[in-house]
Amino acid sequence: MRPVIEARGVAKEFRGTHALADVSFALEPDRIHGLLGRNGAGKTTLMRILAGQDRPSGGSVAMFGADPFENAAVAQRICFVRESQVYPENFRVGHVLAAARLLYPTWADDVATRLVAAFDLPQDRPVKKLSRGMTSALGIVVGIAARAPITMFDEPYLGLDPAARQVFYDALLADFSAHPRTVVLSTHLIDEVATLLERVVVVHRGRVVLDADADDVRGTAAAVTGPSPRVEQFIAGREVLHREDLGAYAKVTVLGRLTAADRVRARDLDLELAPVSLQQLVIHATAGAR
Ligand SMILES: Nc1ncnc2c1ncn2[C@@H]1O[C@H](COP(=O)(O)OP(=O)(O)OP(=O)(O)O)[C@@H](O)[C@H]1O
């Protein structure tokens, strides 16, 4: 399938800081992608470039095959929700929704109304007077109700309590299922969104260190638990990601796919095998100095 988002050797330098060094990937349409990485990895910089809000210092990006920078036709098809969204002075919640309705031809009023109620957002309150969580909720309402063909969320949940975050995840998934679109979600709460993500792109020190289907990533490590000597016997020769000693027992996370023979051997040694979370694998992929 033809990619809708492409980054080719994207670099970005801010007066001596190499925020992005050489980023390349291609994202397919109508999937939910996770853009993951540690603080300062370059995620926001990359999303701003993809949204046409900044230019790369090197390389290029294509959204629907076109350069998004100062491209009104492309901008109309992209909704970029970021944590530090700035709204015009004196705008109230209702004004933000009215402006978004004008901006996005795909805007769904019924979805906006439902989400405003779910987040308990006061329509006539000035945006400046909203709590941090309410400001995040407003961005989320716009991001979902816009139904833009490309929707990017950059850590959209700041200040949102767990129940409100669940409202976000449920609403995103429900609306995405009914109206598939390309979603890019940048988050540090990987375990919370793990089931939503179909593909993950992990950025570290301005480079892509992992770009794969989430399901494929999940199978690349396993946690082995049991009596220490038998665990050691089983893991001999494998790359260890993490080790926990629990008295006479040990829980060791090893890298590499387990074969059917490995599973039989583990059963014979009376060892327990468990999958490793996406979050742990991303932490491993981005370990080391930034
Ligand atoms: N306008 C700017 N001027 C100078 N340096 C910048 C600017 N914008 C970003 N940077 C630097 O570029 C690097 C990448 O920042 P970016 O905000 O893209 O990271 P991030 O992955 O979004 O981080 P976080 O997860 O903490 O939000 C950081 O070192 C940051 O300090």
Side-chain angles (χ1 to χ4, degrees):
M1 203 174 282
R2 225 187 131 178
V4 279
I5 301 180
E6 279 181 282
R8 306 183 199 102
V10 173
K12 182 71 186 177
E13 192 186 335
F14 298 104
R15 282 186 230 103
T17 302
H18 292 271
L20 299 172
D22 178 13
V23 170
S24 298
F25 57 77
L27 304 183
E28 286 182 8
D30 301 342
R31 302 179 87 186
I32 301 182
H33 309 267
L35 179 62
L36 312 173
R38 295 173 67 180
N39 294 127
K43 304 177 296 294
T44 299
T45 304
L46 183 58
M47 288 176 123
R48 293 195 67 235
I49 292 170
L50 294 175
Q53 295 181 358
D54 204 353
R55 275 199 140 139
S57 326
S60 63
V61 296
M63 306 292 270
F64 309 105
D67 182 350
F69 190 72
E70 291 181 353
N71 186 332
V74 171
Q76 225 187 19
R77 302 174 70 194
I78 299 175
C79 182
F80 179 30
V81 177
R82 49 184 308 190
E83 168 244 317
S84 51
Q85 192 79 41
V86 181
Y87 297 101
E89 192 69 18
N90 301 328
F91 252 40
R92 294 172 189 270
V93 168
H95 294 137
V96 173
L97 300 176
R101 186 184 298 124
L102 290 177
L103 196 62
Y104 297 104
T106 40
W107 179 260
D109 245 339
D110 55 330
V111 173
T113 305
R114 228 178 306 125
L115 283 173
V116 163
F119 285 120
D120 215 5
L121 276 176
Q123 287 256 23
D124 54 356
R125 189 162 307 172
V127 176
K128 272 195 309 193
K129 301 260 165 73
L130 293 178
S131 71
R132 172 141 224 173
M134 283 173 162
T135 310
S136 292
L138 180 58
I140 286 167
V141 173
V142 171
I144 295 177
R147 284 192 182 149
I150 293 179
T151 305
M152 298 194 287
F153 292 100
D154 187 8
E155 294 180 52
Y157 49 72
L158 289 186
L160 281 188
D161 62 47
R165 293 203 298 273
Q166 196 60 52
V167 170
F168 166 43
Y169 305 142
D170 290 348
L172 177 64
L173 192 57
D175 208 61
F176 170 83
S177 305
H179 302 272
R181 67 200 91 157
T182 306
V183 176
V184 180
L185 176 60
S186 176
T187 178
H188 292 289
L189 302 176
I190 302 170
D191 277 346
E192 277 195 11
V193 300
T195 53
L196 292 180
L197 303 181
E198 296 174 81
R199 191 166 189 90
V200 292
V201 175
V202 181
V203 180
H204 186 52
R205 294 157 139 184
R207 291 176 194 276
V208 174
V209 292
L210 185 66
D211 175 4
D213 279 352
D215 282 343
D216 291 342
V217 178
R218 280 189 200 99
T220 56
V224 188
T225 309
S228 300
R230 282 192 241 155
V231 169
E232 293 306 325
Q233 197 181 332
F234 183 81
I235 66 165
R238 295 176 192 272
E239 188 181 339
V240 172
L241 294 189
H242 185 71
R243 183 185 290 271
E244 257 175 87
D245 285 315
L246 318 155
Y249 279 71
K251 179 179 180 185
V252 179
T253 306
V254 286
L255 200 60
R257 281 179 193 286
L258 295 182
T259 62
D262 289 331
R263 293 184 184 282
V264 170
R265 194 159 155 255
R267 198 192 54 207
D268 292 347
L269 287 167
D270 211 11
L271 299 174
E272 198 183 299
L273 296 178
V276 175
S277 75
L278 191 61
Q279 179 155 304
Q280 276 177 281
L281 290 162
V282 171
I283 290 172
H284 169 67
T286 58
R290 275 178 255 172

